[in-house]
Amino acid sequence: MASISDVAKLAGVSVTTVSKVINNYPDVSPKTRRKVLNIINEMKFQPNVVARGLVKGRSWSVGIFLTSDFSNPFVSVVMSGLKKTLENSGYDLIYLSQGNKDPQYNFVKHCLSRNVDGVVVFGFTGDEKYVRELICSELPTVFIDIDLYGKRAGYITSDNVNGIFQAVEHLYNIGHQKIAYLTPKLGNYVTKIRYEGYVEALNQLSLDFFQDYISVGTNLAFSLQNGYELMAPLLSLPNPPTAVLCASDLLAIGAMRAMEERGLVVPRDMAVVGFDDSDLCDLTRPKLTTVRQDIKLIGERALGMLLEMINDSNYSPKHVIMPTELIVRESCGSNGLSEVITPVAQ
Amino acid sequence: MASISDVAKLAGVSVTTVSKVINNYPDVSPKTRRKVLNIINEMKFQPNVVARGLVKGRSWSVGIFLTSDFSNPFVSVVMSGLKKTLENSGYDLIYLSQGNKDPQYNFVKHCLSRNVDGVVVFGFTGDEKYVRELICSELPTVFIDIDLYGKRAGYITSDNVNGIFQAVEHLYNIGHQKIAYLTPKLGNYVTKIRYEGYVEALNQLSLDFFQDYISVGTNLAFSLQNGYELMAPLLSLPNPPTAVLCASDLLAIGAMRAMEERGLVVPRDMAVVGFDDSDLCDLTRPKLTTVRQDIKLIGERALGMLLEMINDSNYSPKHVIMPTELIVRESCGSNGLSEVITPVAQ
DNA sequence: TTGTACGCGTTATCAT
DNA sequence: ATGATAACGCGTACAA
């Protein structure tokens, strides 16, 4: 592509003058400006972002540090939110490929080497090592669903505790006392805080806590497979629960499949609540009652916060908690008590 | 971060020598090499990719041109494939934010301005304008699901025609003669080729073609909503079809919902086939029979081909067609004819 | 108002 | 074996 000096030559001015035109400096005569602008259009010149970044020490790009796969529904919706804020921001989004074969590989170095202006961190398997380094590096950072922060690092997450509380309360209100909880391994912020929310909710409602009603996975995946496997032990209990609260929709759907195979009918035999309010909730039969969190909005806000941090070195990073909301569908009995009281075979 | 000249000073050598060490030039004495290497480790120096890119004229990054949203299931699985090939390749992936507010915006210029080494194009709303420009620019390009190519542009897609043929043949084999086809607007390569496959399959099986059995959308979305809406006219037909082949799983699920609302039972009253073999196929009741395409593998191969093109300026771009396969589940009657005949309670 | 000179961090060429 | 110098494309203090 044509470079700035090509333009300068053709316009019969210096490179400096062209640069001034590009960057809207006032000290250029209207006449020269017009001339240069014409040449620029003629040659279809566009300044090279890379070279520009080299001299200014920034790259107009933000990195993403992704600790799970793009195909994960949470991840892909976050991406979609990032994309929305990105439009017309002048920034591009760069996915830094992890060189996981190389023992020397270091994510923070990778960011610095690319002059990335900031980083958004998300995905469910938090990599503590890089995360700490990111905070120390003072590279502007926003964490999604990780409650870490620093001088140049903020975070954003949903109001998990309140969401879980609403779910437990709903189950309680329609008559359930034996409410189980199904979760992946308690290995990151989200799994832990939701679990704590569950325990606290039982407490506030003066419900008994039974260790047997907690089914905890051995890995961090909020997956259907995990839900299916984690449901089995609950169903084999001598005194099984009447309701299951799941830490994600996929877990709930997996759990429902396990019930289905045992011949249990939801919600007649067991009430089920999910978490996320993904598109899937409308697809299951019965439709899944769930705690809604606005993942796309989280993505939008995360990048918004990051761009603010980048553009204002005095910006003090926020800790944002987004509201959650119980969405009642059919999996607890469509309209509450009447349906659930009807007793329960097996 | 420390720069190459910092290292040079501390090591008491010239910048040139440090550069030679970094790039494994042979003309450096073992002694100096060791010394420099030590300093590099000590200072945690890492060469700046941007500066390096400026002089080498490349960026070790590939752009993606995405014509739909990240949350689209096809897109997110392609991304996951790209990610897999990316690991340890030394390349990063950059999403170029479309400046769609700016009438001057031009994607190809954007790529050149970022020194992007190549581009992968995917998503269902092909933007013809940039696509043509990409081909002319001779920037290495791989199209996914768009049958365009050039001197430096190849494409990769599934064997849509054969996939559709298998589906129609299956329906035919289990006794169906009245097979409808449900598709979004015939506005891009995939929708068109699948439709053609359908017509051709009818032909080969000597089945009659009825215009009424084709339900075509007004937009390009392979969405559940579209499936739901496009099914209605088919159900109102005086002589309705006995089977519906849908251009995607989501369309099929939407169609099934429309049937459900009319009180029809799948597969007793209507056989349904989808396309994609997404995770959803196992979630629906009955489980969805579908044409499988390996989207993740398509993503992997697409980037693989692109990297080959980038690294070999003589590489002649390929046109890759990936195999498809019919996955029989329950939505046509689980084991063919017998089941379809045996009526099914509830 | 315009242009010269230097620097951003790196690599390539060519002396030494 | 080592290093001085120019170059990649651009921005900017300063001089003219």
Side-chain angles (χ1 to χ4, degrees), chain B residues 11 47 53 156 170 176 242 254 278 290 318 320 337:
Chain B
I156 180 164
H170 175 69
H176 291 279
T242 63
S278 56
T290 193
K318 306 284 181 290
V320 180
L337 200 53

Side-chain angles (χ1 to χ4, degrees), chain A residues 125-156:
Chain A
T125 49
D127 191 322
E128 288 297 323
K129 183 184 156 202
Y130 296 140
V131 156
R132 301 281 169 196
E133 277 185 37
L134 263 174
I135 294 178
C136 296
S137 77
E138 301 201 2
L139 190 64
T141 303
V142 173
F143 297 103
I144 295 178
D145 274 3
I146 307 181
D147 64 332
L148 292 174
Y149 50 92
K151 209 171 122 194
R152 295 291 277 162
Y155 73 80
I156 180 165

Side-chain angles (χ1 to χ4, degrees), chain A residues 4 16 19 25 47-48 52 56:
Chain A
I4 194 173
T16 304
S19 174
Y25 277 56
N48 185 295
R52 185 178 264 179
K56 302 273 283 186

